[in-house]
Amino acid sequence: MKKKDKEIKAAPSKLWAGRFAVEADKLAEEMNASIGFDWRLFSHDIRGSVAHAKVLRRAKILNAKELAKIIKGLAAVEKDITEGRIIFTSDMEDIHMAVEQCLTKKIGALGGKLHTGRSRNDQVALDIRLFLKVEIDGIVRLLIKLRKTLATLAKKNIDVVMPGYTHLQRAQPVLFGHHMLAYYQMFKRDTERLLDLKKRVDVMPLGSGALAGSPYKLDRAYAAKLLGFAAVTENSLDGVSDRDFIVEFLSAAALIMMHLSRFGEEIILWSSMEFGFIELSDSFSTGSSIMPQKKNPDLAELARGKTGRVYGALITILTVMKALPLAYNKDMQEDKEPLFDTVDTLSQVLGVMPEMLRTMKVNKKKMRAATVEGFLGATDAADYLASRGVPFREAHHITGSIVAYCIENEKTLEDMTLTEWQGFSGIFKEDIKETVLVESSVAARKVAGGTSKEAVLVQLKKVEAELKKPMRAAKPKRV
Ligand code: ARG
């Protein structure tokens, strides 16, 4: 009996220590703890706790004085954490227990009343949702800034032509602005995806308890209102164990990174001596420790490279969640590190991108020159014949022979004389010379969504109108 007493005394530090006889193994404690990373949820955890305390007051579990004391205590705990007065250690286990421990130290046993009708299972679900709502708004704002930069670049360079590529081979001339707006469209869809999935993050799980709901009369709608949620979860088992919203966010993040990696790759190519289409500003380039002449596009490379960790995060959470039985399982503690890392990575890359683009030099001459060398008017020559009755296949074949002729005679299409053109087909008239000019090729593509200046300006107008709207919609809802 005496021995057992001693053992019970040896495990006093845990808030859940009631049924335990001996202290946790040190390594086990470290493996179990999430405080090392979930401490960053502290302000959300405290916000959630204040709301829960108010709900407990409504349910008459706390009196007005107790509520005031708890709220004051929580504010003091938040201040202590913000000002670095709390050292988090693994025996605190996680941020939820750490906050409760700190609160109890400040206000005594009353701190222990706060957990009435609540479990860490619904608490952690709440905290991640609160966190993600704020972060989504931040990322949306960064995406909008990037889209604005792309629109400005397109407008500023509206007459700049460049080769458009397929298979990374020069294909047809396009406007540089058209190319920029292609990325605009990707980032627009990314913005919409985030705002759409945010609806499914914006659901309040408190009241789900550990899994079965709460026996107390908790006004869940009141909690949702206090915390600025649009709805409450409909099923307590789902409320504590749903992490779909994290998967959705991470897959939207993976798409954003995929787009950034494609853009990064083009910036890397374009800034090479081989292309020379752009020059990055010194403030967004790095040097080599050994080759003095080097100016490297490291940040664009990192935008491309960091895509790997975001894809990894998505696969991590999908794998963690696979086949987990209902409801909460500790496996789910593994959701936070990939989520935090993804939020940080996205914010960093999206933060750098707009200024890197704004400050880069667009080398119009190099781009224009590259459009002349690659027989980019060949499709236009084929279309010339096709629109005058030649079946397109035949027109394609004739033009192919013209290109072969040019290669053999070291000519561009623009160098061809009318006699040379007519040597291939009598249908060619004087105006073929104008037709194969890069500017004519671009101007001909007036179809909606095409690369002619007219069509690009229509696109740009729509873009500018769009940019006025979502900016307001994405403002974070602070309650
Ligand atoms: N630290 C835990 C997590 O992040 C909080 C929930 C713990 N719940 C439990 N029943 N042990 O998932």
Side-chain angles (χ1 to χ4, degrees):
M1 196 60 204
K2 251 192 159 178
K3 191 164 177 263
K4 204 171 172 218
D5 278 356
K6 203 168 161 237
E7 280 170 349
I8 289 169
K9 265 180 86 189
S13 54
K14 298 281 184 293
L15 295 172
W16 39 251
R19 85 180 295 291
F20 287 81
V22 286
E23 280 285 1
D25 174 85
K26 198 69 201 149
L27 289 176
E29 181 180 284
E30 273 167 23
M31 179 166 165
N32 194 42
S34 53
I35 188 76
F37 46 87
D38 67 13
W39 65 267
R40 79 184 265 186
L41 293 173
F42 76 89
S43 59
H44 303 291
D45 196 76
I46 289 171
R47 239 183 110 203
S49 291
V50 170
H52 183 61
K54 290 182 179 172
V55 170
L56 291 178
R57 169 75 194 113
R58 270 208 174 177
K60 306 217 165 26
I61 294 159
L62 295 177
N63 63 38
K65 242 173 127 180
E66 288 172 324
L67 173 65
K69 210 169 161 190
I70 285 177
I71 291 177
K72 208 172 147 212
L74 284 169
V77 171
E78 182 161 22
K79 196 158 184 276
D80 281 351
I81 298 177
T82 312
E83 291 171 7
R85 279 191 293 279
I86 308 283
I87 296 164
F88 294 117
T89 49
S90 58
D91 61 302
M92 291 174 170
E93 196 171 323
D94 59 27
I95 188 61
H96 325 294
M97 306 243 279
V99 169
E100 189 181 325
Q101 219 178 77
C102 295
L103 178 68
T104 307
K105 257 193 210 151
K106 284 204 184 294
I107 66 170
L110 174 62
K113 267 199 174 183
L114 178 61
H115 213 51
T116 317
R118 185 174 70 167
S119 154
R120 277 185 293 156
N121 298 352
D122 56 358
Q123 193 176 356
V124 72
L126 174 79
D127 290 6
I128 312 171
R129 285 172 184 273
L130 284 170
F131 165 82
L132 200 48
K133 277 195 342 163
V134 173
E135 297 300 334
I136 287 174
D137 285 340
I139 293 167
V140 163
R141 278 197 300 278
L142 289 172
L143 278 169
I144 291 170
K145 192 164 173 210
L146 177 56
R147 287 163 55 191
K148 278 194 163 167
T149 310
L150 290 167
T152 309
L153 264 180
K155 197 171 189 172
K156 224 172 101 187
N157 296 285
I158 195 66
D159 291 311
V160 176
V161 284
M162 66 177 284
Y165 294 81
T166 63
H167 315 271
L168 198 58
Q169 306 289 325
R170 290 177 195 169
Q172 292 173 350
V174 294
L175 289 185
F176 171 76
H178 195 47
H179 202 114
M180 289 301 106
L181 293 182
Y183 282 105
Y184 172 92
Q185 298 297 340
M186 295 177 225
F187 295 124
K188 176 189 163 192
R189 290 194 296 276
D190 289 335
T191 315
E192 288 169 353
R193 248 186 293 276
L194 285 177
L195 291 174
D196 180 66
L197 74 89
K198 193 181 158 201
K199 289 184 227 149
R200 287 173 293 283
V201 183
D202 200 7
V203 191
M204 207 287 307
L206 273 189
S208 303
L211 73 163
S214 170
Y216 301 96
K217 278 184 88 182
L218 305 180
D219 186 343
R220 301 189 63 211
Y222 176 51
K225 193 168 163 247
L226 288 171
L227 293 166
F229 278 97
V232 298
T233 53
E234 301 280 346
N235 178 304
S236 62
L237 290 165
D238 185 49
V240 290
S241 66
D242 166 31
R243 296 292 184 274
D244 295 6
F245 64 94
I246 300 184
V247 175
E248 278 196 67
F249 171 74
L250 292 179
S251 53
L255 275 174
I256 298 174
M257 289 307 295
M258 178 190 80
H259 293 150
L260 287 167
S261 77
R262 296 181 75 177
F263 203 8
E265 169 73 3
E266 299 215 270
I267 289 167
I268 294 158
L269 287 172
W270 292 352
S271 63
S272 70
M273 212 164 247
E274 283 69 15
F275 278 79
F277 288 180
I278 56 160
E279 192 189 332
L280 290 176
S281 143
D282 285 359
S283 33
F284 289 90
S285 307
T286 41
S288 154
S289 58
I290 174 167
M291 298 165 283
Q293 85 283 11
K294 289 295 288 290
K295 183 168 162 183
N296 295 329
D298 287 29
L299 296 159
E301 291 172 271
L302 283 169
R304 186 178 60 181
K306 283 178 186 289
T307 306
R309 61 202 292 163
V310 175
Y311 286 7
L314 172 61
I315 296 300
T316 300
I317 186 77
L318 279 171
T319 313
V320 165
M321 293 306 293
K322 177 182 177 292
L324 277 189
L326 296 186
Y328 177 84
N329 298 268
K330 189 68 169 225
D331 312 45
M332 289 154 77
Q333 179 164 286
E334 291 292 307
D335 61 2
K336 279 170 275 303
E337 285 161 293
L339 176 64
F340 294 163
D341 188 68
T342 297
V343 162
D344 293 342
T345 303
L346 270 186
S347 309
Q348 188 173 53
V349 179
L350 286 170
V352 164
M353 231 34 195
E355 198 54 12
M356 178 163 91
L357 293 173
R358 196 189 64 77
T359 54
M360 79 184 180
K361 221 169 84 193
V362 177
N363 195 339
K364 293 180 200 184
K365 278 201 189 123
K366 278 261 180 153
M367 287 190 191
R368 173 73 175 77
T371 61
V372 177
E373 276 161 30
F375 306 105
L376 274 73
T379 319
D380 301 275
D383 284 332
Y384 181 98
L385 295 174
S387 60
R388 286 161 180 80
V390 180
F392 188 79
R393 273 297 137 238
E394 203 183 319
H396 185 283
H397 189 80
I398 296 170
T399 317
S401 325
I402 298 172
V403 169
Y405 169 85
C406 285
I407 293 171
E408 206 173 306
N409 294 282
E410 294 184 15
K411 278 173 180 274
T412 67
L413 288 176
E414 294 177 333
D415 297 333
M416 293 266 291
T417 64
L418 182 60
T419 326
E420 283 174 310
W421 282 108
Q422 287 180 334
F424 289 90
S425 167
I427 294 174
F428 288 124
K429 297 277 152 2
E430 188 62 34
D431 56 350
I432 181 62
K433 296 191 53 93
E434 169 90 29
T435 304
V436 295
L437 286 181
V438 168
E439 281 71 18
S440 318
S441 172
V442 169
R445 285 165 171 76
K446 293 190 200 331
V447 67
T451 201
S452 74
K453 184 172 170 178
E454 261 172 86
V456 172
L457 283 175
V458 170
Q459 199 188 157
L460 197 55
K461 211 169 152 200
K462 219 173 148 205
V463 159
E464 285 171 344
E466 282 163 7
L467 282 171
K468 281 183 199 141
K469 277 188 273 165
M471 196 66 172
R472 279 198 300 272
K475 280 259 160 67
K477 244 197 295 183
R478 278 262 172 215
V479 182

